[in-house]
């Protein structure tokens, strides 16, 4: 089979690899599509070289069909469409024992800490496999993992119908948070300097703001009768947006930090004190978030086709990373099997 491997210094190389026969409790999946996410970009930029063992097969936003099942696996059959929730936890640490297995203190994030989905045949524990409804497109199903991130972020925020949410950052996760928030019944204000990303959010019903040219704080106040937003999601991941996030929250509002900040950044502690704000971290997802994401995609509640900028072949994986690093696309899928001959813009 073929696999795409990160080999350091920004390079992705595609070559031959040996498939691994599934153990008794494992499943081998013929990977159809793999999406490239922000964490993958961090890896290729070298930010996670201390964590990733090179050459590394990365990738965790995927869809595919079951190729082979281990002798002890039940409930999964060859040919079934599936995705993978790529978290392996120890079950023994304090986080696991408290019921927070998704943030296990010894978490194996599959596709980062162990081999991922940018290979034609991927063998994983059966416990990680999430079945998909038969009618769901495998291209759309490659969005389940990032959508589950957004579902978890919104659930963690306790956002309710009738509330107002501010989303700072209109990349793929910010857009999906806005979609999930709208599906919850909230009003959404999305701040994003890129005009195309603002247009995308506006088409999904969000109020959009250019935070460089417009007064985001003034617009939030105007739309909330001076109160501020019930929830603010910081998804941009910059020092400025982290500092600014608390400014837009109402008294006893919630500020959710979604973006990965590799270095400590300033936060307005006086604002947190003065308005009795809650500051929440939101990391990855739980099984119920994955299942909710599958349901939202199956219900056509997510503009999947609009989110997918284009599909490329496995041999073009390096090109896809380069395009995303230059912010020239929203979401690019890698057609791992080479079934999509068009490589078409979407």
């Amino acid at each position: 089979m073929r696999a795409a491997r990160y080999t350091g210094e920004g390079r992705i190389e595609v070559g031959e690899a040996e498939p691994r026969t599934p153990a008794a409790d494992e499943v081998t999946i013929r990977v159809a599509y793999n999406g490239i996410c922000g964490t993958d970009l961090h890896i290729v930029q070298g930010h996670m070289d201390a964590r990733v063992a090179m050459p590394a097969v990365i990738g965790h936003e995927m869809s595919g069909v079951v190729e082979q099942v281990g002798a002890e696996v039940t409930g999964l059959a060859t040919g079934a469409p599936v995705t993978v929730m790529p978290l392996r936890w120890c079950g023994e640490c304090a986080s696991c024992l408290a019921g927070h297995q998704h943030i296990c203190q010894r978490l194996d994030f599959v596709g980062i800490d162990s081999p991922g989905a940018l290979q034609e045949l991927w063998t994983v524990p059966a416990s990680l496999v999430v079945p998909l409804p038969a009618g769901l497109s495998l291209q759309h199903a490659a969005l389940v993992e990032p959508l589950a991130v957004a579902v978890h972020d919104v659930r963690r925020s306790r956002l309710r119908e009738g509330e107002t949410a501010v989303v700072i950052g209109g990349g793929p996760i910010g857009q999906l948070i806005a979609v999930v928030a709208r599906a919850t019944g909230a009003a959404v204000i999305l701040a994003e300097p890129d005009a195309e990303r603002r247009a995308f959010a506006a088409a999904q019903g969000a109020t959009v703001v250019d935070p460089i040219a417009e007064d985001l704080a003034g617009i939030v106040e105007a739309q909330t009768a001076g109160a501020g937003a019930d929830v603010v999601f910081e998804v941009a991941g910059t020092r400025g947006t982290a500092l600014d996030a608390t400014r837009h929250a109402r008294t006893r509002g919630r500020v959710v930090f979604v973006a990965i900040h590799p270095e400590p950044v300033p936060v307005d502690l006086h604002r947190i004190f003065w308005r009795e704000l809650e500051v929440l971290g939101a990391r990855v997802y739980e099984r119920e978030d994955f299942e909710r994401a599958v349901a939202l995609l199956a219900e056509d509640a997510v503009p999947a086709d609009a989110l997918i900028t284009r599909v490329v072949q496995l041999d073009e994986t390096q090109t896809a990373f380069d395009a995303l690093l230059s912010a020239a696309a929203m979401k690019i899928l890698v057609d791992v099997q080479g079934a999509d001959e068009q490589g078409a813009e979407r």
Side-chain angles (χ1 to χ4, degrees):
M1 69 170 185
R2 295 189 309 153
R5 298 180 179 90
Y6 166 59
T7 58
E9 299 181 351
R11 297 191 306 273
I12 297 288
E13 297 181 2
V14 177
E16 296 298 314
E18 286 296 322
R20 187 167 66 81
T21 301
D25 62 347
E26 292 182 319
V27 171
T28 296
I29 300 168
R30 184 168 292 276
V31 179
Y33 298 97
N34 185 95
I36 298 171
C37 79
T39 302
D40 297 324
L41 298 181
H42 280 295
I43 292 172
V44 170
Q45 288 174 301
H47 299 161
M48 301 171 71
D49 281 0
R51 178 176 172 186
V52 176
M54 291 178 278
V57 178
I58 60 175
H60 55 272
E61 299 182 1
M62 59 76 63
S63 63
V65 297
V66 175
E67 177 78 6
Q68 186 177 356
V69 297
E72 297 176 3
V73 175
T74 59
L76 292 169
T78 301
V82 295
T83 187
V84 167
M85 182 175 132
L87 307 180
R88 297 181 68 182
W89 47 78
C90 72
E92 299 173 352
C93 70
S95 293
C96 287
L97 294 175
H100 310 309
Q101 293 92 340
H102 69 296
I103 47 174
C104 168
Q105 291 165 230
R106 295 190 284 270
L107 186 69
D108 172 3
F109 196 120
V110 184
I112 301 173
D113 304 308
S114 56
L118 276 170
Q119 53 185 316
E120 291 180 325
L121 295 171
W122 188 31
T123 299
V124 298
S127 59
L128 276 55
V129 177
V130 178
L132 297 171
L136 180 59
S137 155
L138 287 178
Q139 281 193 14
H140 293 182
L143 300 176
V144 168
E145 195 273 353
L147 182 57
V149 171
V151 170
H152 182 74
D153 297 339
V154 173
R155 184 165 65 88
R156 181 110 170 89
S157 78
R158 308 191 308 278
L159 184 69
R160 298 186 297 272
E161 183 178 359
E163 291 189 324
T164 297
V166 170
V167 180
I168 302 174
I173 296 298
Q175 299 285 357
L176 289 171
I177 288 172
V179 168
V180 176
R182 289 273 299 160
T184 304
V188 175
I189 302 169
L190 184 139
E192 166 58 47
D194 184 84
E196 290 187 8
R197 292 182 170 187
R198 288 199 306 275
F200 181 93
Q204 312 313 316
T207 297
V208 295
V209 179
D210 180 350
I212 296 174
E214 299 176 274
D215 178 12
L216 175 59
I219 291 169
V220 172
E221 288 194 7
Q223 294 212 6
T224 61
D230 300 281
V231 178
V232 178
F233 296 94
E234 196 285 299
V235 200
T238 72
R239 291 174 66 88
T241 54
L243 182 60
D244 201 42
T246 56
R247 183 182 179 192
H248 308 300
R250 69 181 301 142
T251 300
R252 290 201 168 182
R254 289 93 70 196
V255 180
V256 185
F257 284 91
V258 176
I260 298 173
H261 290 267
E263 300 292 337
V265 296
V267 176
D268 189 345
L269 294 177
H270 183 269
R271 184 75 168 185
I272 294 168
F273 152 76
W274 197 254
R275 287 207 164 188
E276 292 196 347
L277 302 180
E278 288 185 61
V279 176
L280 301 167
R283 178 184 168 200
V284 291
Y285 29 67
E286 298 175 75
R287 185 79 176 208
E288 65 183 287
D289 301 314
F290 244 72
E291 292 170 351
R292 175 63 176 149
V294 170
L296 286 169
L297 283 163
E299 296 163 5
D300 289 327
V302 177
D305 285 328
L307 277 164
I308 300 168
T309 306
R310 62 180 178 269
V311 179
V312 303
Q313 304 302 299
L314 188 63
D315 288 337
E316 301 172 292
T317 302
Q318 180 75 65
T319 302
F321 272 91
D322 293 343
L324 289 165
L325 286 168
S326 65
M330 180 75 78
K331 177 63 68 176
I332 297 178
L333 302 185
V334 177
D335 177 2
V336 178
Q337 300 296 326
D340 188 332
E341 299 294 340
Q342 304 302 315
E345 296 263 339
R346 284 169 167 76

